[in-house]
Amino acid sequence: MPLLLFCSSGSAQQIRANLLDSIAIAGSNGTYPNLEGITITQRGKLIFENYFHQLNKDSLHDSRSSFKSVTAILIGIAIDKGFIKNVHEKVYTFFPEYKPYGNWNTLKDSMTIEHLLEMKSGFDCEEWEGSKDCEDDMANTQDWIKFCLDLPIKNKPGTQWDYTSINSMLLGGIIAHATHMTVSDFADNYLFKPLGITKYRWTKDPVGHEMTAGSFYISPRDMNKIGQLVLNEGVFNNKRVVAAKWIKRMTKGLIKIENFSNVRISKNKTAFPQPTYYGYAWYSEEIKTEKFKHSVVFASGNGGQYIMVIRDLDLVVTFTGNSYNSSKSKLPFDLLIKYIMPYFNQK
């Protein structure tokens, strides 16, 4: 049975509890067979959580590419602390010890941190359509940073959106070089400790570089804290963790992902599919039905790993799942529209 937490009494709260209970039923009866965990926070309080397949609130889950969104937060903190000047700094200036770089092209000179955040680096890699996944090749090397820097470039940086984990891996390398700390130490000191996140696991390459594009293990409850930080525009427990202007820019979806809608892929029958947009490693999509309309800002990872922030409902919803490389990974959007949004809708 789900853990339901409600502080007030009354018929309205009981109705909501019953409706939320239907989420657990849907997760258990085969409607969402690959759902592994869900947590819901409203106004900063955990009000619902449930886990499946013998998992529990303390289970660490591979966040997959949703961790790219956490890496973007770390970049914002590094800028706040003065370790990095701004997003317009050039990428290759941070890695002089790797000279000479492989597959050198003068276009690499113009590549900036912002290009990495926006997935516009220009590297000859592309995971969205699966045409050239460089991450698998990277995983077979000793030094993942060197592998990324040496990759050939295909497009002028800043001109073409091509989703690739290489970009987020290099963002981690920039943090390490700029701060003279390991990424894990930097994240622990400036993000995880302020959020009360103490239990997690990094994946590292053979020479010790932490993976900052995925393969980071964390509990759904702690993923929810990341969403709460975004919802509160950089503040957690009344303490500033990252600048509000960074959160606003990071989550502002300026790049339209052509011919793509999470709602459409989820096959929800009541919502009108809207396009998905990309910011600094965070997505946004409008959920629109005949009865309500809400914008969702979210982190997304393969298999159904989501941190969803619905600002006008003061709501954070986290999903974990195991629908890897499947359209079923979008089913949390169906669950959100069918079971969650209607019961928190303010209208």
Side-chain angles (χ1 to χ4, degrees), residues 174-191:
I174 288 170
I175 291 169
H177 281 71
T179 64
H180 302 289
M181 304 180 196
T182 62
V183 178
S184 54
D185 283 346
F186 181 81
D188 189 57
N189 289 334
Y190 294 110
L191 180 61

Side-chain angles (χ1 to χ4, degrees), residues 101-220:
Y101 311 110
N103 294 298
W104 180 251
N105 186 311
T106 56
L107 289 175
K108 290 184 176 182
D109 278 328
S110 65
M111 190 187 301
T112 67
I113 293 172
E114 184 171 61
H115 294 149
L116 299 180
L117 288 163
E118 292 184 331
M119 293 292 175
K120 291 185 176 182
S121 62
F123 283 121
D124 188 15
C125 302
E126 194 284 313
E127 297 172 26
W128 197 259
E129 300 293 340
S131 61
K132 194 166 186 179
D133 186 345
C134 298
E135 184 181 3
D136 288 344
D137 290 337
M138 180 190 78
N140 292 322
T141 65
Q142 291 289 306
D143 187 332
W144 295 349
I145 296 296
K146 183 180 188 306
F147 174 87
C148 296
L149 292 169
D150 287 347
L151 283 166
I153 199 164
K154 182 179 180 181
N155 301 303
K156 180 181 178 182
T159 62
Q160 175 70 32
W161 190 84
D162 281 318
Y163 184 94
T164 174
S165 294
I166 297 308
N167 295 336
S168 295
M169 187 65 207
L170 282 177
L171 288 173
I174 288 170
I175 291 169
H177 281 71
T179 64
H180 302 289
M181 304 180 196
T182 62
V183 178
S184 54
D185 283 346
F186 181 81
D188 189 57
N189 289 334
Y190 294 110
L191 180 61
F192 296 149
K193 282 181 179 176
L195 268 57
I197 298 174
T198 59
K199 187 180 178 182
Y200 50 82
R201 186 170 77 250
W202 292 87
T203 296
K204 301 180 182 181
D205 72 9
V207 298
H209 296 129
E210 290 94 348
M211 177 59 158
T212 47
S215 301
F216 179 86
Y217 292 78
I218 186 173
S219 72

